[in-house]
Amino acid sequence: MSKEIPNKMEKLLFFLPLIIPLLSVAATCRHPLDPLSSSEFEIIRSLITNSNPSTNITFQYVALADPTKQSVLSWLANPKTRPPPRRATATIRFNKATHEILIDLEKKTMISNRVYSGTGYAPFTFEEQFAAAALPASHPPFVAAMKKRGLKLEEVVCACFSVGWFGEKRKVEQRIVKVQCYYLDGSVNLYMRPVEGVTVTVDLDEMKIIGFRDRYVVPIPKAGGTEYRESMLKPPFLPPLNGMKMVQPDGPSFQINGHSVSWANWNFHVSLDERAGPIISLASIYDIQKQKRRQVMYRGFISELFVPYMDLNEEWYYRTFFDAGEYGFGQCAVPLQPLRDCPENAVFMDTYMAAGDGRPMKMSNTFCIFERHGGDIMWRHTEGTIPNTLIRETRAEISLVVRMVAAVGNYDYIVDWEFKQSGSIIANVGLTGLLEVRASKYTHKDQIKEEVYGPLLAENTIGVRHDHFLTYHLDLDIDGDANSFLKSNLRTIRSQDPDYPRRSYWTVVTETAKTEADARIKFGFQQDELVVVNPNQRTRMGNPVGYRLIPKSTTSPLLSADDYPQIRGAFSNYNVWVTPYNRSEKWASGLYTDQSHGDDTLATWSLRDREIEDKDIVMWYTMGFHHVPCQEDFPLMPTLSSGFELRPTNFFESNPVLKVTPPHIVNLTNFSQTSNHN
Ligand SMILES: *[C@@H]1O[C@H](CO)[C@@H](O)[C@H](O)[C@H]1NC(C)=O
Ligand SMILES: *[C@@H]1O[C@H](CO)[C@@H](O)[C@H](O)[C@H]1NC(C)=O
Ligand SMILES: *[C@@H]1O[C@H](CO)[C@@H](O)[C@H](O)[C@H]1NC(C)=O
Ligand SMILES: *[C@@H]1O[C@H](CO)[C@@H](O)[C@H](O)[C@H]1NC(C)=O
Ligand SMILES: [Cu+2]
């Protein structure tokens, strides 16, 4: 009993300062970083279509134009003031020209409209991809090619692939895709049944076929064994596990206000971008020791996903995809299914996006937000050394997860941002879905005497080797935006005294990166601790406050630096880069990625070698997977994950999780009607 009172007092102290900023957010209507609403998409569409009434306009990318950081921060400091002006940016295509349009959403006017005439194009729309994929069915040579193979045309489905760039001086005006086709006929797993050897080339602006190749015939892999639908799978099955339930009788402990989320010591903002997917902004943490809210991350998002395949066949060499810049990673978001994609205690958030004609499209359940209580331990200690005393202290880990899933054609990416009460932010990506396979004549490994670019996964099915590189834009602002990047190299030191029992130890040699060149890090060659610090803010012990990057993946590219896909994907050449903050440097593969020449990438910006010490800086981290498929990836991949942690490092005066109060005990007897646990 005597223990309970201070506990409650502490809890009250803990929550009071969190509630006050929440209420002030509630008092204002709109957050300046909120994604475009349905009516805002309508304003943009009608402004643009009204000024060009007789033309077919393709809306390739429509997004909130970022307000300046300064204007967002000063609004945040005083949310009663006028928020920064809401503007939108639209990249549209008509009459074979790309237009960049800036719109004032309050005045409902076009601020600027300029034609972009450099290399590269904005992401495809779904409508264009569907239209292009439908063309082969009425193209006589294609129809003949299917007939020659004995295929039923109505069972053939096709998909669009970006063509990349291979040094050719192609006419800049031509937006081209390749169309590759698959055979359903008894399967929905189309990607396991490629019609190999046939390639159709489409001009997207003309929306007509400009090339057709039928190089060879190989068997279509069998439909048998490709099924993955629960309702269609055949026994035997593993017996089901016993039921489990996640109950929060008092509801979740987080609050969502529009797109702002508060949970435990964290506040942040979630939004969706057609290109990036989830954007986490203004992540700040309440420091109970200092009794104040402290900035951690201004913005974090996936800037690009680079997926080059390692097959040099004519039908495959160009498959070097940029899933954000070419396909719109956020545009590929899919509605999350309650209880399957997210646990029972999840709360869902809907979003809007612009369709190809600019009309707003609502998507339900784009994000789910939930408290994860997965049986992990936040911290513990058992102390048995003190005579006649046993101390046992342990706390369960409960964290907050924001999840989105994007299905980019065959692949599904599960994107999680996780917040811990310790101050850590964890980003995780899970890869699942379907492989891209090549049909081949082989039915057994022993028959293969040539390079086939991947293992045989099933009869006539080669799982082509490829990479996934995910580049995160991490604009950390540790206690403000004047930050530095510290590289601490762990070095072995030999003992000077030959008679001393120890011959060596390791020490830390810390260096502040002065310019961009100092901050290009390739993992695997040396062991570094990488910390973003605020050099002007120190702990009482004198250490600069910071956040450390703990990568789980240290994969680097294996393509030659002069290979065209790698020139376009040069942002993956290093695992870490640091650049000075620049509102227009968001997309690691450049603003116009489709058919880009690699002249506007993170790698080219970094060549300016700007100063990054004690400045507003952005850290870019690339994690990678070299994917050598295996039979377990057929007919569908079990999730493969990786990620990184941003962990407070001398940010707090001491361990903040000592101040975490364990959750209320839930008395399950109250839930006997609904629970499986009795
Ligand atoms: C616009 O597109 C539609 C559908 O593709 C087509 O029927 C129509 O002729 C096009 N209009 C113009 C002006 O190009
Ligand atoms: C910001 O980035 C753009 C695009 O890379 C560049 O043109 C511009 O010069 C940069 N601004 C500064 C101040 O570096
Ligand atoms: C749970 O609730 C039941 C019924 O109200 C009560 O009898 C029991 O003592 C409670 N158990 C705990 C651990 O609080
Ligand atoms: C559980 O049941 C007890 C007894 O009926 C009640 O006092 C208590 O408030 C209930 N708890 C919840 C969380 O509903
Ligand atoms: Cu893969």
Side-chain angles (χ1 to χ4, degrees):
M1 209 49 204
S2 62
K3 249 193 145 177
E4 243 196 303
I5 293 156
N7 251 348
K8 272 187 185 150
M9 287 289 289
E10 229 173 75
K11 207 177 292 171
L12 203 68
L13 275 175
F14 187 62
F15 280 106
L16 256 179
L18 301 179
I19 290 161
I20 296 161
L22 246 181
L23 289 177
S24 57
V25 169
T28 66
C29 47
R30 219 44 212 287
H31 191 292
L33 298 180
D34 280 352
L36 298 172
S37 66
S38 175
S39 56
E40 287 174 328
F41 278 116
E42 271 301 348
I43 294 169
I44 297 160
R45 189 190 67 86
S46 53
L47 271 175
I48 292 173
T49 51
N50 290 348
S51 60
N52 307 284
S54 63
T55 324
N56 277 344
I57 299 171
T58 305
F59 289 74
Q60 291 183 270
Y61 175 61
V62 184
L64 178 75
D66 296 326
T68 64
K69 194 190 256 197
Q70 228 40 58
S71 68
V72 174
L73 293 177
S74 58
W75 173 84
L76 198 71
N78 189 0
K80 288 201 184 75
T81 59
R82 235 182 98 74
R86 257 183 98 72
R87 293 178 169 180
T89 170
T91 308
I92 62 165
R93 181 94 181 154
F94 72 95
N95 290 345
K96 297 192 182 181
T98 298
H99 292 248
E100 293 171 355
I101 296 171
L102 187 64
I103 284 166
D104 185 321
L105 291 166
E106 286 148 23
K107 297 197 188 109
K108 300 190 170 64
T109 52
M110 248 186 230
I111 300 168
S112 63
N113 177 354
R114 82 180 184 100
V115 173
Y116 171 75
S117 51
T119 51
Y121 303 103
F124 312 128
T125 66
F126 276 122
E127 289 83 348
E128 287 174 326
Q129 292 183 63
F130 282 126
L135 294 176
S138 50
H139 188 59
F142 182 85
V143 174
M146 297 304 109
K147 194 167 181 199
K148 181 171 89 185
R149 287 167 173 77
L151 305 180
K152 293 170 262 180
L153 199 58
E154 66 277 14
E155 295 292 323
V156 175
V157 290
C158 303
C160 279
F161 293 88
S162 56
V163 296
W165 173 68
F166 296 88
E168 62 276 61
K169 309 263 182 291
R170 187 192 295 125
K171 250 173 76 192
V172 161
E173 309 87 72
Q174 256 186 322
R175 283 178 75 213
I176 293 171
V177 290
K178 300 246 184 181
V179 176
Q180 297 285 343
C181 302
Y182 303 88
Y183 199 47
L184 295 173
D185 199 36
S187 179
V188 292
N189 197 340
L190 59 122
Y191 290 102
M192 294 307 116
R193 309 201 70 202
V195 180
E196 208 64 58
V198 179
T199 305
V200 177
T201 309
V202 171
D203 180 322
L204 283 183
D205 289 328
E206 300 272 359
M207 201 46 83
K208 66 177 192 210
I209 292 176
I210 56 165
F212 174 80
R213 291 273 282 167
D214 181 1
R215 283 211 311 140
Y216 60 87
V217 178
V218 287
I220 308 248
K222 296 193 296 238
T226 63
E227 185 59 72
Y228 55 80
R229 289 168 296 176
E230 193 172 31
S231 58
M232 302 298 279
L233 287 167
K234 300 274 185 298
F237 297 110
L238 290 172
L241 301 178
N242 288 343
M244 276 173 240
K245 211 158 174 67
M246 181 75 208
V247 280
Q248 289 193 290
D250 305 320
S253 321
F254 54 84
Q255 298 197 39
I256 301 178
N257 194 316
H259 288 80
S260 300
V261 181
S262 319
W263 174 80
N265 38 6
W266 282 104
N267 277 4
F268 58 90
H269 181 274
V270 186
S271 103
L272 181 82
D273 178 88
E274 287 180 8
R275 186 163 171 174
I279 297 184
I280 302 292
S281 304
L282 293 165
S284 66
I285 191 161
Y286 185 76
D287 183 335
I288 197 164
Q289 289 165 311
K290 289 199 161 68
Q291 300 273 311
K292 66 171 192 188
R293 182 156 288 289
R294 301 174 65 189
Q295 277 179 274
V296 176
M297 185 168 78
Y298 181 72
R299 187 152 59 179
F301 60 90
I302 296 174
S303 177
E304 191 52 272
L305 299 90
F306 175 38
V307 189
Y309 282 75
M310 297 299 137
D311 184 330
L312 301 194
N313 279 299
E314 183 183 316
E315 293 76 16
W316 279 80
Y317 76 91
Y318 65 87
R319 299 190 196 193
T320 54
F321 306 118
F322 293 82
D323 284 346
E326 294 173 343
Y327 290 89
F329 189 64
Q331 179 177 264
C332 296
V334 291
L336 296 168
Q337 286 189 51
L339 301 179
R340 295 277 173 120
D341 283 322
C342 311
E344 212 166 351
N345 58 330
V347 170
F348 294 84
M349 200 186 265
D350 303 338
T351 56
Y352 286 89
M353 267 182 286
D357 62 1
R359 279 178 214 285
M361 257 185 344
K362 184 178 177 174
M363 187 167 60
S364 308
N365 296 7
T366 310
F367 293 114
C368 72
I369 301 173
F370 59 92
E371 286 170 284
R372 174 182 280 160
H373 185 3
D376 291 333
I377 298 170
M378 178 162 63
W379 66 270
R380 76 171 322 290
H381 184 59
T382 299
E383 185 53 73
T385 316
I386 306 167
N388 307 317
T389 309
L390 180 65
I391 298 173
R392 274 192 306 202
E393 291 285 340
T394 181
R395 303 287 187 277
E397 178 80 84
I398 298 174
S399 59
L400 185 75
V401 177
V402 178
R403 174 169 296 167
M404 188 203 88
V405 172
V408 190
N410 52 317
Y411 257 99
D412 295 54
Y413 292 90
I414 304 160
V415 180
D416 282 359
W417 284 91
E418 181 178 7
F419 295 82
K420 292 195 176 194
Q421 297 181 83
S422 64
S424 282
I425 302 176
I426 291 157
N428 196 74
V429 170
L431 275 57
T432 176
L434 309 162
L435 287 176
E436 222 168 288
V437 302
R438 185 162 51 80
S440 124
K441 62 185 178 196
Y442 299 113
T443 54
H444 192 279
K445 184 178 194 294
D446 292 351
Q447 301 158 353
I448 306 174
K449 306 278 183 251
E450 54 170 342
E451 173 68 275
V452 291
Y453 306 108
L456 193 65
L457 303 181
E459 281 177 26
N460 309 115
T461 308
I462 301 281
V464 178
R465 293 183 282 256
H466 59 277
D467 299 308
H468 303 258
F469 293 105
L470 290 102
T471 301
Y472 280 78
H473 170 113
L474 301 166
D475 182 3
L476 298 182
D477 281 355
I478 309 297
D479 273 342
D481 60 15
N483 286 181
S484 295
F485 180 70
L486 302 189
K487 270 193 306 186
S488 291
N489 184 228
L490 276 43
R491 272 183 216 166
T492 306
I493 307 286
R494 291 287 297 179
S495 160
Q496 299 300 309
D497 179 354
D499 298 327
Y500 201 71
R502 277 284 296 273
R503 300 243 159 103
S504 69
Y505 71 105
W506 59 260
T507 190
V508 175
V509 180
T510 300
E511 189 187 311
T512 303
K514 306 274 184 221
T515 66
E516 291 179 276
D518 300 334
R520 296 177 199 137
I521 316 271
K522 209 168 195 167
F523 290 137
F525 297 106
Q526 55 180 47
Q527 300 186 42
D528 285 317
E529 296 244 312
L530 306 174
V531 193
V532 173
V533 298
N534 185 325
N536 314 300
Q537 297 288 332
R538 296 194 189 195
T539 59
R540 273 188 308 223
M541 298 304 108
N543 295 306
V545 300
Y547 260 72
R548 184 154 59 108
L549 171 72
I550 303 180
K552 279 193 218 158
S553 153
T554 57
T555 307
S556 293
L558 292 166
L559 288 179
S560 306
D562 66 346
D563 198 0
Y564 290 102
Q566 196 58 39
I567 292 170
R568 302 174 64 223
F571 54 88
S572 63
N573 288 350
Y574 291 93
N575 295 96
V576 174
W577 311 71
V578 176
T579 56
Y581 173 80
N582 177 329
R583 201 152 49 116
S584 22
E585 291 179 353
K586 277 174 81 168
W587 309 112
S589 60
L591 187 54
Y592 295 97
T593 308
D594 175 38
Q595 294 176 223
S596 68
H597 295 189
D599 45 17
D600 175 30
T601 69
L602 171 55
T604 60
W605 313 331
S606 173
L607 287 176
R608 281 184 236 147
D609 204 16
R610 295 160 287 187
E611 289 184 0
I612 53 169
E613 188 181 5
D614 199 7
K615 289 220 162 17
D616 189 0
I617 54 176
V618 176
M619 176 166 63
W620 306 75
Y621 166 62
T622 297
M623 68 163 137
F625 300 81
H626 294 307
H627 192 171
V628 180
C630 61
Q631 285 188 246
E632 288 81 358
D633 294 343
F634 178 90
L636 179 138
M637 271 182 69
T639 304
L640 178 67
S641 306
S642 193
F644 63 89
E645 177 171 353
L646 296 169
R647 188 177 173 95
T649 299
N650 302 319
F651 181 80
F652 294 108
E653 291 293 343
S654 64
N655 186 350
V657 294
L658 289 187
K659 298 290 186 179
V660 170
T661 312
H664 302 285
I665 306 257
V666 173
N667 188 337
L668 270 177
T669 56
N670 292 44
F671 298 93
S672 50
Q673 298 94 326
T674 53
S675 165
N676 298 329
H677 283 254
N678 319 2

